[in-house]
Amino acid sequence: FCEVVPFISEFRFYVVESRVICRENYDGNPHDMVDESIVEDAIAKLDAAGQSLAAYPIDFGLLRTGETALVEMNDGFSVGPYREISAEDYTVFTVTRWTELLATRVA
């Protein structure tokens, strides 16, 4: 059970090899930006815990309180592009994750 929280804006961060390659607003006012230091800290903590993937989207939102909160994180193999990511960046994002998956495949 989780408390419902009101977001005023939400952003997707496309991460490849622990680096944000694109950020885009998908809900709310794009000028109500999340605290990107929290995003970078989350990426670093995933890396330190050995839980990051070669490519993944991670979404954060800005709450009415002004706090930045995690919305969700997904696997890079199963997410479609939003409006702002370029075809080139999306291809790198997808191929990077698929390459990682194929490299860990058990024969």
Side-chain angles (χ1 to χ4, degrees), residues 59-74:
D59 299 359
F60 283 85
L62 186 64
L63 301 175
R64 287 186 188 157
T65 61
E67 296 171 286
T68 294
L70 175 68
V71 175
E72 66 180 335
M73 176 187 166
N74 291 295

Side-chain angles (χ1 to χ4, degrees), residues 22-73:
C22 180
R23 72 188 49 73
E24 57 188 350
N25 172 256
Y26 64 86
D27 193 33
N29 187 334
H31 299 291
D32 291 325
M33 187 60 186
V34 298
D35 181 343
E36 290 195 44
S37 68
I38 291 173
V39 176
E40 294 295 334
D41 186 54
I43 293 168
K45 285 181 177 176
L46 284 166
D47 290 346
Q51 297 298 309
S52 62
L53 305 170
Y56 58 92
I58 190 164
D59 299 359
F60 283 85
L62 186 64
L63 301 175
R64 287 186 188 157
T65 61
E67 296 171 286
T68 294
L70 175 68
V71 175
E72 66 180 335
M73 176 187 166

